[in-house]
């Protein structure tokens, strides 16, 4: 008979656990036969002793099978999913989903909500008046067949093991562990029905992985899991050492996506990373021979306005008001806006993305706990990015708030996020690395 105690001990000693042993642990935990305190000890042992690639793959597989797997076989073509490991001002899904769909690939995307300092795609989308992200599976598939794109909430029956484990990891300091993050993310992508996967692994001050080596290790681990499970996977390691976009907050991030899709914003990090990730999706979907060709097509659908039209169709299909695309003033608006003047002059040397995220949370843009209610209208807009010069009295950010009493705390946190020095620093690349596996047998 297998005993939980022996398995914890084995992992503590750095030994290898078999698929059957991991299955016993995960299934026992989901079915409430294994208590939180034993699972906590096991997770902490994994943090210290690690897991081999094989073990991480097996863990992912048993997590996938803890619940339902979405069947997308009614959708013709290759289903390519994309996932970011989370960050601040990361609005890539809202930019690339309409563009990639307008380029001809079907995008069936299940997304999550924001927690802590990071935003969530569902919360952003729901700031559009009327829009719903609760879409039944049948309707979800019909919508993707009809207009090529849907972005909906993950249903509760996908990867129940991850829901329980993530909640436990969150309160036992066991989140930042490569095999645990990799299995958590990949199990959800595979259960969501993806044939092939594009990963955006963030690195820098606003990411789980602060150091590039750690982000590369996480990306490589996830690519290996994907390939071992018969899903061709590509990962880009991208920079999150400052917020990706300039607009942080739910309706504000929708606004930034709209301004990119309608050509009002013609450059910048958010647009660039979205186009690169979208190009990788088109490659994996076999719509184009290489990323350069993908990039050209995406720029064409952007310039022609086809991407903006696709966003309108997506909003309309999910019961939102599509007129927000041509008239963004229909998005929720904050009652007050106010700048944050710099006390000193010089160059912006760093913007702590996590602190910027926390400043918007103080204004009400995010949730501390799952049940917290967010204010879609509030947030901030960065007026300066890294390596830009600033004079004393010039604004670092503009706050958008419905409650001026919250500005005191927000100002303090946002100001602490900026490091200003006498000269600019070397530019960090936006895309640090691209990681691909070998070709895999189809599954
Ligand atoms: N995102 C996830 O979905 N899981 C993790 O463990 C970390 C980030
Ligand atoms: Ca096609």
């Amino acid at each position: 008979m297998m005993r939980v105690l022996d398995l914890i001990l084995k992992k503590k000693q750095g030994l290898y656990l078999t698929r059957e042993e991991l299955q016993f642990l995960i299934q026992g935990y989901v079915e409430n036969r294994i208590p939180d305190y034993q699972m906590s000890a096991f997770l902490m042992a994994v943090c210290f002793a690690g897991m081999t690639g094989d073990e991480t793959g097996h863990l992912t597989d048993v997590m996938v099978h803890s619940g339902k797997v979405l069947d997308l076989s009614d959708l013709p073509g290759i289903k390519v999913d994309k996932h970011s490991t989370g960050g601040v001002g990361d609005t890539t899904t809202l930019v690339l989903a309409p563009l990639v769909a307008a380029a001809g690939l079907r995008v069936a995307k299940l997304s999550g909500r924001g927690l802590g300092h990071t935003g969530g795609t569902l919360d952003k989308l729901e700031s559009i008046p009327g829009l719903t992200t609760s879409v039944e599976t049948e309707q979800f598939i019909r919508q993707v067949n009809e207009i090529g794109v849907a972005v909906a909430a993950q249903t509760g029956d996908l990867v129940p093991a991850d829901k329980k484990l993530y909640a436990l990891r969150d309160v036992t300091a066991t989140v930042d562990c490569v095999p645990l993050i990799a299995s958590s993310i990949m199990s959800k992508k595979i259960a969501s029905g993806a044939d092939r996967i594009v990963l955006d692994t963030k690195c820098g001050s606003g990411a789980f992985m602060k150091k590039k080596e750690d982000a590369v290790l996480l990306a490589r681990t996830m690519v290996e899991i994907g390939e071992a499970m018969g899903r061709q996977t590509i990962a880009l390691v991208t920079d999150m050492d400052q917020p990706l976009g300039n607009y942080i907050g739910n309706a504000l991030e929708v606004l930034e996506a709209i301004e990119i899709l309608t050509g009002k914003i013609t450059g910048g990090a958010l647009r660039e990373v979205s186009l690169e990730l979208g190009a990788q999706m088109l490659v994996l979907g076999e719509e184009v021979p290489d990323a350069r060709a993908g990039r050209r097509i995406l720029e064409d659908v952007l310039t022609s306005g086809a991407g903006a039209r696709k966003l309108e169709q997506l909003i309309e299909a999910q019961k939102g008001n599509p007129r927000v695309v041509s008239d963004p003033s229909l998005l929720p608006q904050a009652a007050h806006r106010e700048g944050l003047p710099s006390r000193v002059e010089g160059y912006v040397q760093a913007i702590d993305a996590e602190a910027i995220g926390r400043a918007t949370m103080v204004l009400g843009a995010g949730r501390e706990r799952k049940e917290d209610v967010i204010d879609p209208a509030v947030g901030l807009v960065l007026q300066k990015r890294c390596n830009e010069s600033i004079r004393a009295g010039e604004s670092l950010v503009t706050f958008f708030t419905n409650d001026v009493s919250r500005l005191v705390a927000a100002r303090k946190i946002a100001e602490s996020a900026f490091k200003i020095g006498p000269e600019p620093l070397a530019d960090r690349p936006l895309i640090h690395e691209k990681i691909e596996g070998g070709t895999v047998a189809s599954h």
Side-chain angles (χ1 to χ4, degrees):
M1 243 258 302
M2 259 188 246
R3 292 199 317 163
V4 182
L5 177 66
D6 298 329
L7 301 182
I8 299 171
L9 185 62
K10 233 172 136 176
K11 187 38 73 187
K12 183 179 141 190
Q13 292 168 335
L15 299 174
Y16 178 93
L17 296 188
T18 65
R19 192 186 190 289
E20 289 64 39
E21 289 170 329
L22 291 165
Q23 166 88 35
F24 172 81
L25 279 170
I26 297 301
Q27 200 169 330
Y29 184 57
V30 170
E31 292 169 3
N32 299 316
R33 278 180 280 108
I34 296 175
D36 282 349
Y37 53 82
Q38 283 188 308
M39 188 48 78
S40 306
F42 173 74
L43 293 170
M44 191 56 86
V46 173
C47 288
F48 283 99
M51 276 189 161
T52 69
D54 272 5
E55 267 180 307
T56 312
H58 290 144
L59 174 62
T60 306
D61 194 34
V62 301
M63 285 174 72
V64 169
H65 291 102
S66 70
K68 281 198 183 150
V69 175
L70 189 61
D71 178 4
L72 296 178
S73 59
D74 283 345
L75 290 175
I78 302 166
K79 269 67 76 180
V80 185
D81 204 350
K82 164 257 165 194
H83 182 84
S84 292
T85 58
V88 177
D90 182 356
T91 316
T92 50
T93 295
L94 296 185
V95 178
L96 67 76
L99 286 179
V100 168
L105 191 68
R106 285 181 176 77
V107 181
K109 183 111 189 69
L110 297 181
S111 284
R113 297 199 179 272
L115 194 60
H117 72 279
T118 64
T121 300
L122 299 181
D123 298 319
K124 297 173 199 179
L125 271 174
E126 285 173 1
S127 71
I128 297 169
L131 188 138
T132 179
T133 58
S134 322
V135 184
E136 292 293 324
T137 305
E138 229 173 88
Q139 169 58 24
F140 178 74
I141 289 170
R142 195 176 324 130
Q143 181 180 325
V144 179
N145 259 328
E146 281 170 13
I147 65 166
V149 59
V151 183
Q154 192 190 300
T155 51
D157 45 11
L158 297 184
V159 205
D162 182 63
K163 290 200 181 62
K164 225 179 148 193
L165 284 170
Y166 197 88
L168 186 64
R169 288 167 58 208
D170 204 29
V171 294
T172 56
T174 54
V175 170
D176 63 345
C177 163
V178 165
L180 298 180
I181 297 174
S183 55
S184 165
I185 290 173
M186 293 303 283
S187 62
K188 283 177 285 194
K189 291 295 106 182
I190 289 166
S192 303
D195 299 321
R196 300 183 184 180
I197 301 161
V198 175
L199 297 167
D200 177 14
T201 311
K202 306 288 191 188
C203 91
S205 65
F208 281 113
M209 299 294 152
K210 311 287 179 208
K211 291 198 302 237
K212 184 181 155 188
E213 306 88 83
D214 295 336
V216 168
L217 175 63
L218 175 62
R220 205 165 271 145
T221 304
M222 291 192 290
V223 168
E224 277 167 15
I225 293 173
E227 304 273 321
M229 297 180 77
R231 271 74 169 182
Q232 200 180 341
T233 304
I234 292 178
L236 298 183
V237 175
T238 71
D239 200 58
M240 187 43 73
D241 214 38
Q242 62 182 332
L244 185 60
N246 289 335
Y247 301 24
I248 329 288
N250 295 286
L252 286 166
E253 292 180 49
V254 171
L255 175 63
E256 191 166 23
I258 289 173
E259 290 186 345
I260 289 173
L261 290 171
T262 54
K264 195 164 170 222
I265 295 175
T266 55
L270 172 59
R271 183 179 180 278
E272 179 61 27
V273 170
S274 302
L275 288 171
E276 280 301 311
L277 292 169
Q280 301 299 337
M281 289 177 76
L282 293 180
V283 172
L284 283 190
E286 298 181 4
E287 297 283 327
V288 292
D290 57 38
R292 279 181 60 161
R295 191 68 208 219
R296 267 200 306 276
I297 292 185
L298 292 176
E299 280 171 12
D300 284 350
V301 294
L302 201 125
T303 313
S304 72
R309 297 292 83 74
K310 194 53 79 181
L311 178 62
E312 288 175 342
Q313 289 180 341
L314 167 67
I315 294 171
E316 187 160 29
Q318 294 183 208
K319 303 188 168 65
N321 183 356
R323 286 192 298 127
V324 297
V325 177
S326 49
D327 181 5
S329 73
L330 296 169
L331 289 167
Q333 305 286 322
H336 309 277
R337 61 173 72 181
E338 196 174 305
L340 172 68
S342 176
R343 291 170 204 268
V344 294
E345 69 163 39
Y347 289 86
V348 176
Q349 293 183 330
I351 307 174
D352 181 341
E354 189 168 335
I356 292 293
R358 272 188 284 116
T360 65
M361 282 192 65
V362 166
L363 296 175
R367 1 179 133 66
E368 210 82 60
R369 286 155 306 165
K370 278 201 188 70
E371 55 279 8
D372 291 348
V373 176
I374 60 173
D375 183 340
V378 304
L380 62 80
V381 172
L382 293 180
Q383 301 298 346
K384 294 286 170 182
R385 293 184 70 83
C386 284
N387 287 343
E388 290 182 356
S389 66
I390 180 138
R391 294 183 315 262
E394 240 188 316
S395 260
L396 294 165
V397 310
T398 304
F399 294 109
F400 293 77
T401 184
N402 283 318
D403 176 358
V404 285
S405 71
R406 295 182 181 219
L407 277 175
V408 181
R411 216 180 272 128
K412 211 165 141 194
I413 300 171
E415 193 167 26
S416 76
F418 283 84
K419 184 162 175 275
I420 295 169
E423 73 273 324
L425 303 179
D427 273 325
R428 281 172 67 99
L430 204 47
I431 315 251
H432 292 277
E433 200 102 25
K434 176 180 166 189
I435 291 152
E436 291 179 88
T439 42
V440 274
S442 60
H443 64 103

